[in-house]
Amino acid sequence: MSVQQGLIGYRRFLQGDSAALENTVRFYSEALVRFALHYVQDPSTAEDIMENAFVALVVKRKKFDEEEQLRAYLYKTVRNGCLTHLRGKKHLASLDENADKLL
């Protein structure tokens, strides 16, 4: 798959070809999961975060002129999803630690 395939599939999706988005997902999904794993250390959570990035892409229907813009958007969305996940875990751990004090 060439470097432009992710953007081409996404553009075709925006024009109404719902199956074309699959090319973009296939092109980026493995790398995005590996990227997320550096943050969350859990393959299942990393995959969920990657999937959420594509959901956000579909919902927002952003237009990109270059492949790099699409790539940057996906990586930034995955990173933000990872950080949100980690913040949530931190709050849960804090609640667990303080639960004994409340009883």
Side-chain angles (χ1 to χ4, degrees), residues 44-62:
S44 178
T45 301
E47 190 154 323
D48 288 345
I49 290 169
M50 176 272 300
E51 290 171 0
N52 289 339
F54 282 105
V55 168
L57 181 66
V58 168
V59 169
K60 292 184 179 180
R61 294 183 174 267
K62 290 180 134 307

Side-chain angles (χ1 to χ4, degrees), residues 75-93:
Y75 275 87
K76 184 176 181 179
T77 303
V78 167
R79 185 201 61 189
N80 290 344
C82 291
L83 294 176
T84 299
H85 172 78
L86 292 172
R87 276 193 296 271
K89 281 182 69 172
K90 183 178 178 182
H91 291 297
L92 288 176

Side-chain angles (χ1 to χ4, degrees), residues 1-7 27-28 67-68:
M1 195 175 274
S2 75
V3 175
Q4 290 291 314
Q5 287 301 309
L7 183 59
F27 187 73
Y28 282 109
E67 183 79 24
E68 276 303 309

Side-chain angles (χ1 to χ4, degrees), residues 2-9 11 24 27-28 64-74:
S2 75
V3 175
Q4 290 291 314
Q5 287 301 309
L7 183 59
I8 291 169
R11 282 183 179 163
T24 303
F27 187 73
Y28 282 109
F64 302 101
D65 296 326
E66 298 178 21
E67 183 79 24
E68 276 303 309
Q69 292 172 326
L70 171 61
R71 183 178 185 274
Y73 174 83
L74 289 169

